[in-house]
Every structure is written in structure tokens, then in C-alpha cells.
Amino acid sequence: MTQVERSDDRGERWKAVGAPLPCMVTDLDVHPKDPARIYASCGGYSGHIQVYDGQTWTARKEANGLERDYLGRMVFERIAVDPSFPNVIYAGQRDWAGPARGIARSIDSGASWETINWNLPVDLDVWGISVSPHDSTVWIATDYGNFRMMPAR
């Protein structure tokens, strides 16, 4: 269980954000215009994505379009919100025991997801994701090096 906490005064005081999550949180990102909306990637064998709407955490899993990796796991360890289009979220899959599926994207604030590896290797382990605030370029750090994805708009 992981309790996400938040400080609104530069770390002087902290308060819990919702109930504890039933996973190991490996990355967080916050909606740039709605700081009550938070996205968490959950590592571990039963990983998934958690979305906080300001009151409740909701898990996003296979029913929402996220895919399991080649070993049957759903280990999402990185997440990033597009600062220019905050309804677009990217999540990176990584499995320390074998090849993962790569990048998942949501275009509806985390409600549904699709795998979008495009021309990237199919067995892609993602170590980091960053989205440029200038042009929405997605930068991905992987086992194969760093890649740039130019999203179609």
C-alpha cells in the first residue's frame, strides 16, 4: 500500500491524497490546469494506472485498454501528462524480468488507453517519459536509447 501525500506550502505540511493505493507507486504526474487531478503509475506484478479525480482513486487496467506484457504482467512505471493538451497522458511499461509492450496513451484524461509503439521496437522497456510543453513532443528513455515521438494532432 502506498499513501500519496501533497504539500501546498513547499513541504512545510503534508496531507493525504485519497485512500492508500494498493500498489507501489513508481511515478506521478499532475494535470497542469487542475492540480486535484493526479495520475499514478503502479509498478509490481499487478501494476496498472491510478487516476485521482480530486476525491477518489480509480484503477485503469485491461478493461480500459491497457495491455499486459509478454509475461502476462501489467507493470507501468512511468507516466506523463501533455502540458499543452492535458487530456493526453502517456504511460510507459517496463518489466525487469522480460520484454514489455512500451507506450500506452490516453486521449480522454485516462478513461481509456491504447498501445502506440508505432515504429518503435515491439519489446520496449520504458525507463522515462517526458512531454515537451512547447510542441507536445514525447521523449522516451528505453533500453534501446532515447526516442522522440511526434504525436499527430
Side-chain angles (χ1 to χ4, degrees):
M1 301 287 267
T2 302
Q3 178 63 61
V4 175
E5 294 186 346
R6 169 190 184 123
S7 174
D8 294 319
D9 58 8
R10 298 179 185 230
E12 292 293 321
R13 289 180 296 278
W14 293 84
K15 61 183 176 182
V17 174
L21 293 172
C23 65
M24 177 180 66
V25 173
T26 54
D27 203 5
L28 292 169
D29 206 354
V30 179
H31 189 289
K33 295 180 177 134
D34 180 4
R37 189 163 189 83
I38 303 169
Y39 302 92
S41 59
C42 293
Y45 292 117
S46 61
H48 54 280
I49 305 295
Q50 289 277 346
V51 178
Y52 187 71
D53 64 6
Q55 296 183 351
T56 307
W57 287 104
T58 304
R60 300 294 189 235
K61 297 183 176 189
E62 282 178 292
N64 305 98
L66 293 171
E67 292 186 48
R68 293 187 177 276
D69 66 19
Y70 296 102
L71 298 174
R73 302 179 202 172
M74 195 174 299
V75 183
F76 287 90
E77 291 202 352
R78 299 295 169 245
I79 195 155
V81 177
D82 184 328
S84 300
F85 299 93
N87 59 317
V88 179
I89 302 104
Y90 298 90
Q93 200 175 52
R94 184 176 78 83
D95 194 330
W96 53 90
R101 294 236 186 243
I103 301 291
R105 176 182 68 182
S106 172
I107 59 172
D108 57 8
S109 300
S112 63
W113 295 82
E114 65 177 333
T115 299
I116 60 158
N117 285 355
W118 296 326
N119 64 339
L120 297 173
V122 294
D123 58 346
L124 193 67
D125 282 308
V126 176
W127 292 85
I129 301 175
S130 180
V131 183
S132 170
H134 304 291
D135 61 4
S136 295
T137 297
V138 182
W139 294 94
I140 305 161
T142 75
D143 289 340
Y144 297 104
N146 297 323
F147 293 92
R148 178 178 76 173
M149 294 175 75
M150 300 294 291
R153 298 248 187 256

